[in-house]
Amino acid sequence: MQRYFVNHRAKDDSFKIKGDDRHHIIKVMRMQIGDEIICVDKDGKQAVCRLAEITDETVVADVVQWKEGNSELPISITIASGLPKGDKLEWIIQKGTELGAHQFLPFSAARSVVKWDEKKAAKKIERWQKIAKEAAEQSHRSKVPEIISPMSYHAMLEKSKDFQYKLAAYEEESREGELSNFSSSLKQMQPGDSILLVFGPEGGLADEEVQKLKSNGFVLCGLGPRILRTETAPLYTLAAISYHFELLR
C-alpha cells in the first residue's frame, strides 16, 4: 500500500493531498476512487485511507483505520557529513533515511573538494528533502528527516551544543586499534537521547579539525579494522545503532 506524508492533521477524518503526491497518486499509480493508501500526518500518526474524491487540484482520502506502531529509532540521530563529491550526499541521505536517521547536517570541511554555492542552495536542499521524503515513504517511516542547510565547520561545532552525545568517526583511531569508544557510548545512551555523528569528506578530517572536536566534547571513534568511505561510514554506524537498540534487546 502506497504511503504519503501530509503536512497537516486529518480534518473530519479525511486528508487533502495536493502537489507532487496528488500527481503520483493519479498519474503514476493511476489510482481511482475506492483505492486505499496510507497517510502519515505531521505528528507521525498513520492511517489507512480510502480515496473519496479526485479533483484537478486535490485528492481527498477518508480515514478507514488509524494504525498503531512505531518504526522510528528510539534515539534521535543527526548525521553530519563533510561535503563530499558528486552525488554521494544524496546516497547518504537516501540510505541514511532508510536506516533511521532523524536529521542530516552537511558542513564544509577543510578537505572538502566541493564548495557550497549559496546561489544554488534552495534547489539543492529542496532536492535533498525530496529524496529523504521518498526514502521515508519507501521504508515505512513515520517521520521525514530534516535536511539542515549546509554550514561552516565552526557553525557545526556551535550546533553540536544542542546534542547530548557527540561522536566523530576518525580513521586514525581505527588504525591505532581503538574499538571501544563507539560501543561504550551506545551502552550509555537511553531512549529519547540525541546524538550527533560527524564524518569527514573523502580526505578525512584535518588535524586541526580533530583537535577542535576534542575541545568541544566529541568522542573520537574507530569503526572497526577496515577504513570506510565517507558515504559508507554513516550507513555502517546507523546499522550498528539499529542493531544495538532494536535487535539486540
Side-chain angles (χ1 to χ4, degrees), residues 10 37 51-52 65-66 77 84 101 111 118 148 164 171 189 206 244-245:
I37 61 175
L51 302 191
Q65 180 184 11
W66 290 99
I77 303 172
R111 293 174 179 167
E118 288 292 344
I148 301 174
Q164 290 161 293
E171 59 190 25
M189 296 177 195
H244 178 84
F245 282 99

Side-chain angles (χ1 to χ4, degrees), residues 3 36 42 51 123 137 154 159 181:
R3 172 177 300 245
E36 292 186 345
K42 61 184 297 184
L51 302 191
K123 287 187 177 181
E137 290 171 344
H154 175 75
K159 181 72 174 174
N181 283 348

Side-chain angles (χ1 to χ4, degrees), residues 139-167:
S139 56
H140 288 203
R141 295 278 302 270
S142 58
K143 293 183 179 179
V144 179
E146 177 189 5
I147 314 299
I148 301 174
S149 181
M151 59 183 65
S152 67
Y153 192 77
H154 175 75
M156 184 273 291
L157 293 177
E158 284 296 310
K159 181 72 174 174
S160 73
K161 297 175 182 178
D162 298 338
F163 297 85
Q164 290 161 293
Y165 291 89
K166 299 181 287 188
L167 307 182

Side-chain angles (χ1 to χ4, degrees), residues 8-23:
H8 59 271
R9 298 184 181 90
K11 184 177 181 181
D12 297 327
D13 266 347
S14 69
F15 291 97
K16 290 185 177 181
I17 302 172
K18 302 179 180 180
D20 290 342
D21 286 340
R22 177 204 168 276
H23 179 271

